[in-house]
Amino acid sequence: MKATPAIQLRLLDVQAVDTARNQLTHRRNNLPELAELERLNAEVSDAEGSLEQFRERVGDLDKQIRALEFEVETVQARAQRDKSRMDSGAISSPRELESMQHEVQTLAAKQGELEDRELEIMEQRDAVDVDLSAAAQRFQQLRGEYYATIERRNAALAEIDVEDSRREAERTKLVAELPADLLELYERLRASNGGVGASALRAKRCQGCQLELFGTALAELKAAPEDEVVRCDECGRILIRTPESGL
């Protein structure tokens, strides 16, 4: 395959652009914001779960408080009815009056127990409410960090996209100058050699695989016409001769 030295040097320019674009792709796929978002997403999910648990606990305690309040009101109403009957003088039987007095005392004791239980649960609710407030604050903080990280990620991706578009336009102009057969060979080698299809020869060393040429390989390279497209014996990449090749 033949190509002028200028065209072969142009291939190095194409390789430089492709290397830069590969680096952009690597940067895009390994943005620190991506790992940060993964971590924050897990923490936000955990925080939201904790928040929901505290909300459910508060709701459960509120139900218990309302139920106890209803029981207290019921006991109070019953005791008030008994007292009213006793105060009205409608009960003439000493036995019945004694029984009703005992019931009023029993209801008073029960009311005291219910109110003590209600107070206990209200104290529990206050404690859980503190935890709920802390969990809500933690959730909001993490969610704020999550969305802020999304903004940083999007800004970084936009910057990469702008640079990649510029590099793509640069590549389009460069490859338009290359012969189809040389470009086809380059693309094939690039696909099978980690994104590098052409490398410069500097100080008798291939910059693709870092193999130093000597002996027969070096002699053949020196004897090759300038317009002949040569390849590295070790890695197979197109080898571009430059003033720094040391030939």
Side-chain angles (χ1 to χ4, degrees):
M1 184 181 298
K2 300 290 185 178
T4 66
I7 289 295
Q8 293 188 46
L9 287 173
R10 185 65 67 198
L11 189 59
L12 277 184
D13 294 335
V14 174
Q15 180 63 75
V17 171
D18 285 336
T19 298
R21 294 190 71 191
N22 287 341
Q23 291 171 345
L24 288 172
T25 298
H26 182 270
R27 180 185 168 196
R28 180 185 288 111
N29 295 334
N30 294 276
L31 285 173
E33 289 81 5
L34 297 177
E36 183 71 2
L37 282 174
E38 185 175 354
R39 179 187 69 81
L40 284 171
N41 186 58
E43 291 191 13
V44 167
S45 180
D46 290 343
E48 187 174 19
S50 296
L51 180 59
E52 186 59 31
Q53 288 179 355
F54 285 124
R55 284 173 175 167
E56 291 177 357
R57 179 59 176 157
V58 166
D60 180 62
L61 291 172
D62 283 341
K63 288 180 181 178
Q64 294 183 49
I65 291 171
R66 287 194 297 270
L68 287 168
E69 287 176 344
F70 178 77
E71 285 191 65
V72 169
E73 291 174 358
T74 301
V75 169
Q76 285 178 332
R78 184 173 176 182
Q80 186 59 45
R81 286 196 302 269
D82 289 347
K83 287 180 181 180
S84 297
R85 290 185 61 194
M86 290 169 58
D87 294 341
S88 67
I91 303 175
S92 59
S93 170
R95 184 183 295 276
E96 185 178 356
L97 184 60
E98 182 181 357
S99 175
M100 188 163 292
Q101 287 175 337
H102 177 71
E103 182 176 356
V104 169
Q105 293 173 353
T106 301
L107 289 172
K110 183 175 182 180
Q111 179 180 336
E113 292 175 359
L114 291 171
E115 289 174 341
D116 288 344
R117 177 59 179 157
E118 181 181 356
L119 180 61
E120 179 184 340
I121 294 177
M122 290 176 68
E123 290 174 349
Q124 291 179 23
R125 194 218 184 273
D126 288 342
V128 175
D129 198 46
V130 172
D131 292 335
L132 174 62
S133 297
Q137 183 177 359
R138 175 64 173 164
F139 174 68
Q140 293 298 333
Q141 176 188 347
L142 288 171
R143 191 167 64 170
E145 292 178 12
Y146 180 79
Y147 286 122
T149 304
I150 286 180
E151 290 183 3
R152 293 199 305 273
R153 180 205 62 186
N154 291 346
L157 289 176
E159 179 183 340
I160 291 172
D161 288 342
V162 169
E163 177 64 14
D164 191 48
S165 294
R166 186 182 71 80
R167 291 288 189 174
E168 184 179 19
E170 182 182 356
R171 188 183 199 276
T172 299
K173 292 180 180 179
L174 290 172
V175 298
E177 303 175 15
L178 300 180
D181 56 349
L182 179 60
L183 180 60
E184 181 182 358
L185 175 62
Y186 166 74
E187 295 288 15
R188 178 164 52 82
L189 292 174
R190 187 166 73 94
S192 60
N193 286 279
V196 180
S199 58
L201 177 67
R202 291 195 180 96
K204 303 177 184 179
R205 186 182 298 275
C206 171
Q207 297 303 299
C209 64
Q210 298 302 312
L211 173 71
E212 184 177 354
L213 279 69
F214 58 90
T216 302
L218 182 60
E220 290 178 351
L221 188 59
K222 288 181 178 180
E226 289 186 347
D227 63 348
E228 183 175 343
V229 176
V230 296
R231 294 169 62 180
C232 175
D233 287 344
E234 178 68 17
C235 64
R237 295 181 175 95
I238 299 171
L239 203 55
I240 309 298
R241 289 163 285 179
T242 73
E244 301 174 346
S245 292
L247 299 178

